[in-house]
Amino acid sequence: VLVTICAVLCDFLCSADIIFDQKSMNLNQMPSPGTIPTNTQRINLKYNNIQDIPDNYFINHNNLYYILISYNKIPDAGIHPNSFTGTIIQFLSLRTNLLTDIPNLDAIAGTLEELLLGYNSITAVSTNKLDNLKKLKKLYLNNNQIVTLHPDVFNGPETLIKLQLKRNLLTGKESFKLKDASFFFMYTYFVLSI
């Protein structure tokens, strides 16, 4: 576990990317408009009290591909359909917030590859929330309150190779369609633990 944490931290801190880091700053809202340079590529806003990501907040951040906004207080209503418009986000972490549903991420559907939504209060996963995420490779829904899964819920993203569902309220008898048999093997034996 320590090696994984160090690798993630090094990946974030040791890159040559332009990074905006305001973790643990006790922020109650997103930084004032204009505070984040428009050429920023990575943002770290973990461990704050942020409750809302306004519509078009990142509109001029067309190099932004990596956002850590975990450990905040963002509810479903705090993520708007255009919150991430103008970006090329590939990695988005919204872990440990106040989400009860998967947010509408259509604005980054063409670029998002990794989505971390663990440790929220998500109770269900509807098919329409994932269908447009055509490049999604990794989806983390662990440690939520998911009770049921629609049979077609993971049939949309054709690129999905990792799905984390452990520590939810699933019975272990759920069945759903997957487009790739190798994904099913990985899901069954390596990723899913109830």
Side-chain angles (χ1 to χ4, degrees), residues 95-166:
R95 291 183 52 177
T96 316
N97 275 287
L98 303 175
L99 300 174
T100 61
D101 195 7
I102 294 177
N104 178 340
L105 299 173
D106 287 350
I108 53 173
T111 58
L112 187 63
E113 295 179 4
E114 191 166 352
L115 178 59
L116 287 71
L117 295 171
Y119 298 92
N120 278 288
S121 296
I122 296 171
T123 56
V125 182
S126 57
T127 55
N128 63 339
K129 295 291 179 122
L130 299 174
D131 284 349
N132 292 335
L133 303 178
K134 299 300 183 194
K135 291 194 173 189
L136 190 65
K137 294 178 183 176
K138 298 177 183 178
L139 176 61
Y140 298 86
L141 292 167
N142 54 295
N143 298 79
N144 276 289
Q145 307 289 320
I146 299 171
V147 183
T148 59
L149 293 170
H150 186 278
D152 293 320
V153 72
F154 301 114
N155 204 23
E158 295 180 20
T159 55
L160 195 62
I161 58 171
K162 184 169 186 178
L163 171 64
Q164 183 71 267
L165 283 169
K166 67 182 179 180

Side-chain angles (χ1 to χ4, degrees), residues 56 58-64 82 84-88 107-108:
N56 298 311
F58 296 108
I59 194 71
N60 295 316
H61 294 85
N62 54 5
N63 294 317
L64 183 60
N82 293 312
F84 302 107
T85 297
T87 68
I88 54 168
I108 53 173

